[in-house]
Amino acid sequence: MNITVKTASSRSVRRAAMDCLARREHAFLELQRKLLVKCPDASEVEIRQALEQLRDENLLSDERFASSWVRYRQSRGYGYRHIRQDLQ
């Protein structure tokens, strides 16, 4: 039996992550960098665990982020080559 104990800082990390995801899709690393700034009391391990849990729950997806980002860039008039170069 695996029991996970959620500390106050891990709950605040999850809440901050959910706030960011409610606004728009984020890539894993992008959200990790944001949370390191937003939640200075949380350890990198707590942040990574929270993000992995969100990924497991399909609330955080790099694929959805990339699709959303490409659609946004296309709507702004960027061409295929420019978008492909930016993604690399």
Side-chain angles (χ1 to χ4, degrees):
M1 179 181 221
N2 187 5
I3 299 173
T4 303
V5 177
K6 288 198 175 196
T7 64
S9 64
S10 66
R11 284 191 297 271
S12 66
V13 168
R14 182 176 173 89
R15 189 175 311 116
M18 294 296 290
D19 288 347
C20 290
L21 291 170
R23 290 179 186 88
R24 69 170 177 86
E25 293 288 345
H26 287 73
F28 186 95
L29 291 175
E30 174 190 25
L31 191 51
Q32 185 177 28
R33 277 187 246 122
K34 278 187 177 185
L35 293 175
L36 286 169
V37 173
K38 283 185 164 215
C39 304
D41 295 340
S43 70
E44 287 185 41
V45 172
E46 286 176 313
I47 291 172
R48 185 163 190 82
Q49 287 173 343
L51 293 178
E52 286 174 358
Q53 183 179 4
L54 290 171
R55 185 189 288 166
D56 292 343
E57 295 169 4
N58 202 28
L59 297 171
L60 175 63
S61 169
D62 285 343
E63 291 172 5
R64 271 197 323 262
F65 167 76
S67 295
S68 172
W69 187 84
V70 167
R71 279 192 310 274
Y72 173 77
R73 299 291 278 187
Q74 286 175 332
S75 74
R76 297 288 182 213
Y78 289 93
Y80 170 78
R81 288 184 184 151
H82 188 99
I83 293 171
R84 191 171 117 210
Q85 183 180 1
D86 286 347
L87 286 172
Q88 292 176 345

